[in-house]
Amino acid sequence: MSNERPIGVFDSGVGGLSVLRELRKQLPGESTVYLGDEARMPYGEREAAEVVLFTRQAIRWLARNADPKLVVLACNTATAAALEVVREDSAVPIIGVVRPGAAAALSATSRRAVGILATRLTVRSGAYYRALRDLDPLVDVLQQPCPKLVPLIEAGKARSDEARAAVREYVAPLLTEGAVVAPGVDTLLLGCTHYPLVRWAIEEIGGPSVRVVDSATTTALAVREVLASHGALSRAASADHRIVATGARERFRAVARAMFTEDVEVEEAALA
Amino acid sequence: MSNERPIGVFDSGVGGLSVLRELRKQLPGESTVYLGDEARMPYGEREAAEVVLFTRQAIRWLARNADPKLVVLACNTATAAALEVVREDSAVPIIGVVRPGAAAALSATSRRAVGILATRLTVRSGAYYRALRDLDPLVDVLQQPCPKLVPLIEAGKARSDEARAAVREYVAPLLTEGAVVAPGVDTLLLGCTHYPLVRWAIEEIGGPSVRVVDSATTTALAVREVLASHGALSRAASADHRIVATGARERFRAVARAMFTEDVEVEEAALA
């Protein structure tokens, strides 16, 4: 394996750019290829079989067009629904965001009670629940599907009263869930790469005693650790970054530009 | 939850006593109840559905008769085949040996190539493979079913030439597996609680450059960590230990006596 091969990053849309940003920050010598399936996003309300198919197509595209040394599944829904299946039939090593996210939540919670905010499919898959219970079989886990959030964020309403109301509807019950976990969770895990955009509302409603955790930082750390342990970190003098989308390139370019404060070319690809 | 409730430990037979020993060493204040399903062991060549049923019965027995604060599934086969299923429908928190074992193997390997020695059912379940790949998606994993070992050990032939020959048959290919992992694995994980009894042969054939890892120590560490993080360690002045078997109590007593260098009562139970 050549250490100069890029790291592939796949997300259903622009959300995984937050993971990409952390990767580029923590691993400045690594080249990256980001693939966003903008044309078919969001994945969170789809059937599991469909998400498996799309994820398989994305991994295959990355393998053929970028020859990555490692692929980061930066989409919670894809990780939850497809990681284990796709890993079985793929020669490319794949790392997901669920295990690093679960580990981060367990590091944060002092009362050992974690709330998971995620898409319906991620909640239904039980992947976070299993990952948390596997690391700590005594931890209390409350899962909350948040179907309104991605559409609101995609509609540009991340900073709206509507977003605040939706977040309140989802978050408030986790903080007072007397019957199941009293007095509620002390840590909220953002189990969807879109949710950092409504983090302000989650923090507002959670209040100062609730910790909000996302998986971008810990996933990037996990990638660095894995590559380092294999002696597979790049020694190249400069890194090369490509961003590829299956649609809506202009929107993609605007988001990426804002995130990386640099001009960004967005290539187009078709998945099948 | 009362912190003085015991830790339950379940194994298909006497193998899990090595996990119990580590638990008692690392957590001397904790009471324990060990349940060995001696009448129906070994589990390693059974069907998965049967192991799920037996494990479910064992957890239910422990819940009713010992009210444990946590159950350790000290059997690799039961963990691999049944942990996720039984965890879903059990109110008792359960910790298995696979994740701690996988973590221990990854700490040991410097060439990032691990060999798993396990029963057929454990290998077939893919649980170790998944746990290792989840922690390190680049690690090379060679799985080796070792169907001759448990019968040999159960027949009292752990120290025989026959055992050495069987171990050679299983271990030698992992060390020279040129096609898959060159130059072979540098770490062997004992993925069955019986195998520490043929560790001498595994170390002899592995040679000084191969590290042999078992999950007893890391599982006990994981239990301690989990209880500590929940403030659930016992503060009792003295600990109480029960050993319960579904059959062959005399054999059980002899093994336990040798292990704990004290006289041990073995109670009898029937699982259904």
Side-chain angles (χ1 to χ4, degrees):
Chain A
M1 175 173 83
S2 157
N3 292 348
E4 276 63 56
R5 288 156 68 203
I7 297 171
V9 180
F10 171 61
D11 183 50
S12 56
V14 295
L17 289 171
S18 60
V19 178
L20 179 68
R21 183 172 54 185
E22 276 301 320
L23 277 171
R24 287 177 57 173
K25 207 164 94 184
Q26 293 190 35
L27 292 160
E30 299 293 330
S31 292
T32 63
V33 177
Y34 183 97
L35 173 63
D37 192 8
E38 191 72 11
R40 299 189 293 195
M41 74 93 200
Y43 284 6
E45 302 290 308
R46 290 183 182 272
E47 290 301 312
E50 211 170 23
V51 173
V52 169
L53 174 69
F54 292 176
T55 305
R56 196 171 266 148
Q57 291 172 341
I59 302 293
R60 200 189 305 140
W61 189 94
L62 283 166
R64 283 185 190 161
N65 295 278
D67 189 24
K69 57 183 174 185
L70 177 70
V71 168
V72 181
L73 222 47
C75 174
N76 285 268
T77 302
T79 300
L83 175 60
E84 290 206 348
V85 190
V86 176
R87 197 178 255 164
E88 297 276 317
D89 58 29
S90 166
V92 187
I94 308 173
I95 195 165
V97 288
V98 168
R99 200 194 47 79
L106 288 175
S107 296
T109 177
S110 53
R111 278 209 311 272
R112 312 312 287 170
V114 173
I116 309 290
L117 307 176
T119 65
R120 269 207 192 105
L121 186 54
T122 299
V123 167
R124 213 156 46 212
S125 79
Y128 269 110
Y129 182 84
R130 279 197 304 278
L132 285 161
R133 283 296 185 118
D134 206 40
L135 292 165
D136 178 354
L138 286 165
V139 72
D140 283 313
V141 182
L142 295 183
Q143 297 198 94
Q144 176 63 58
C146 308
K148 289 179 191 165
L149 296 186
V150 170
L152 278 169
I153 293 164
E154 287 292 332
K157 296 182 183 167
R159 288 259 156 206
S160 66
D161 286 339
E162 226 176 319
R164 180 189 281 117
V167 166
R168 177 169 298 116
E169 176 190 334
Y170 298 138
V171 168
L174 303 183
L175 306 177
T176 54
E177 192 88 11
V180 186
V181 181
V185 306
D186 67 356
T187 299
L188 290 169
L189 176 59
L190 307 187
C192 172
T193 46
H194 277 79
Y195 297 175
L197 292 163
V198 292
R199 190 182 184 123
W200 66 274
I202 296 169
E203 287 178 341
E204 185 185 303
I205 289 151
S209 64
V210 169
R211 296 186 65 174
V212 180
V213 168
D214 75 72
S215 44
T217 314
T218 37
T219 299
L221 270 171
V223 169
R224 194 174 66 187
E225 237 174 67
V226 161
L227 292 179
S229 73
H230 285 269
L233 290 167
S234 170
R235 286 179 199 82
S238 68
D240 189 53
H241 302 290
R242 289 171 64 191
I243 294 183
V244 185
T246 55
R249 289 162 60 197
E250 275 321 301
R251 198 179 83 93
F252 229 87
R253 199 168 160 221
V255 177
R257 232 171 178 167
M259 212 169 237
F260 296 105
T261 57
E262 69 187 47
D263 201 6
V264 171
E265 272 310 305
V266 177
E267 305 166 46
E268 188 157 2
L271 294 186
Chain B
M1 176 172 82
S2 155
N3 293 348
E4 276 63 56
R5 289 157 68 205
I7 297 170
V9 181
F10 171 61
D11 183 51
S12 56
V14 295
L17 289 171
S18 60
V19 178
L20 179 67
R21 183 172 53 185
E22 275 300 320
L23 277 171
R24 288 178 56 174
K25 207 163 94 185
Q26 294 191 33
L27 293 160
E30 300 293 330
S31 291
T32 62
V33 177
Y34 183 97
L35 174 62
D37 192 9
E38 191 72 11
R40 300 188 292 194
M41 73 96 201
Y43 284 7
E45 302 291 307
R46 290 184 183 272
E47 290 302 313
E50 211 170 21
V51 173
V52 169
L53 173 68
F54 293 175
T55 305
R56 196 171 265 148
Q57 291 172 341
I59 303 292
R60 200 190 303 140
W61 189 95
L62 283 166
R64 282 185 191 162
N65 295 278
D67 189 26
K69 58 183 175 185
L70 177 69
V71 169
V72 181
L73 221 47
C75 174
N76 286 267
T77 302
T79 300
L83 175 60
E84 291 206 348
V85 190
V86 176
R87 196 178 258 164
E88 298 275 317
D89 58 29
S90 166
V92 187
I94 308 172
I95 196 167
V97 288
V98 168
R99 201 194 45 80
L106 289 175
S107 296
T109 177
S110 54
R111 278 209 312 271
R112 312 312 286 172
V114 173
I116 309 290
L117 307 176
T119 65
R120 270 208 191 103
L121 185 54
T122 299
V123 167
R124 214 158 44 214
S125 79
Y128 269 111
Y129 182 84
R130 279 197 305 277
L132 286 161
R133 281 298 185 116
D134 207 39
L135 292 165
D136 178 352
L138 286 166
V139 71
D140 283 313
V141 182
L142 296 183
Q143 296 198 92
Q144 176 64 58
C146 309
K148 289 178 192 168
L149 295 187
V150 171
L152 277 170
I153 293 164
E154 287 292 333
K157 295 182 183 168
R159 288 259 156 207
S160 66
D161 285 340
E162 226 175 319
R164 181 189 280 115
V167 166
R168 178 169 297 116
E169 177 190 334
Y170 297 138
V171 168
L174 304 182
L175 306 176
T176 53
E177 193 90 9
V180 186
V181 181
V185 306
D186 67 356
T187 299
L188 290 168
L189 176 58
L190 307 187
C192 172
T193 47
H194 277 77
Y195 298 175
L197 292 163
V198 292
R199 189 180 184 125
W200 66 274
I202 296 169
E203 287 178 341
E204 185 186 303
I205 289 151
S209 64
V210 169
R211 296 186 65 175
V212 179
V213 169
D214 75 73
S215 45
T217 314
T218 37
T219 299
L221 271 170
V223 169
R224 195 174 66 186
E225 238 175 67
V226 162
L227 292 179
S229 73
H230 284 270
L233 289 168
S234 170
R235 286 177 199 83
S238 68
D240 189 54
H241 302 291
R242 289 171 64 192
I243 294 184
V244 184
T246 56
R249 288 163 62 198
E250 274 321 302
R251 197 179 83 94
F252 229 86
R253 197 168 161 222
V255 177
R257 231 173 179 164
M259 215 169 236
F260 296 105
T261 57
E262 68 188 14
D263 201 6
V264 171
E265 272 310 306
V266 177
E267 303 165 47
E268 188 157 2
L271 295 185

